[in-house]
Amino acid sequence: MRLRDQHGHSTELSDSMLAAWDEEPGISTHQKKEQLLQWMGDSLEELGKEQKLCVTLFYLDKRSYQEIASTTGFTLMQVKSHIQNGKRNLKLLIQKRAGGENAKS
């Protein structure tokens, strides 16, 4: 799954998240990516409704800030804030899940 950063470039979120698993034997890259996608979906559900909505519209539906503001009724600054905070919280939630999973191993 490709996500756009604030400058419109595509980045692989999974690259940074998968780095913790590089040394684990027996886990294929495909399994790692599937696990990451599961964690991303679960973590997205834990975000607040405004952050979840803005992150989903921006990254998954590839809407612009202006389109999101028009659709949701948020100001442009609120949209930017919800996306920035949602992205940070999503990353923290995924890292928390990855840390908990590594502790189980």
Side-chain angles (χ1 to χ4, degrees):
M1 178 181 298
R2 292 206 171 275
L3 302 179
R4 293 179 295 165
D5 66 12
Q6 291 181 344
H7 304 291
H9 299 99
S10 293
T11 57
E12 288 279 343
L13 180 60
S14 60
D15 288 347
S16 63
M17 298 299 169
L18 292 176
W21 291 321
D22 283 344
E23 297 163 3
E24 287 188 37
I27 298 179
S28 73
T29 302
H30 177 73
Q31 289 171 319
K32 291 175 188 179
K33 287 184 180 182
E34 287 297 321
Q35 182 64 66
L36 178 60
L37 287 173
Q38 179 65 44
W39 289 339
M40 285 172 55
D42 294 344
S43 297
L44 189 60
E45 294 300 318
E46 291 184 39
L47 292 178
K49 68 179 184 174
E50 294 89 358
Q51 290 180 5
K52 178 182 174 183
L53 177 60
C54 289
V55 166
T56 300
L57 290 172
F58 185 72
Y59 288 110
L60 301 180
D61 295 345
K62 300 189 185 297
R63 301 267 187 96
S64 69
Y65 292 143
Q66 189 60 51
E67 289 174 320
I68 296 169
S70 296
T71 302
T72 62
F74 299 139
T75 67
L76 204 55
M77 291 306 293
Q78 286 174 318
V79 169
K80 290 178 181 182
S81 178
H82 289 316
I83 291 170
Q84 181 179 18
N85 293 332
K87 183 178 173 182
R88 183 190 66 243
N89 290 334
L90 188 61
K91 181 179 178 180
L92 291 173
L93 288 166
I94 292 169
Q95 287 175 334
K96 181 179 172 183
R97 289 177 190 280
E101 189 69 21
N102 288 339
K104 291 179 186 177
S105 301

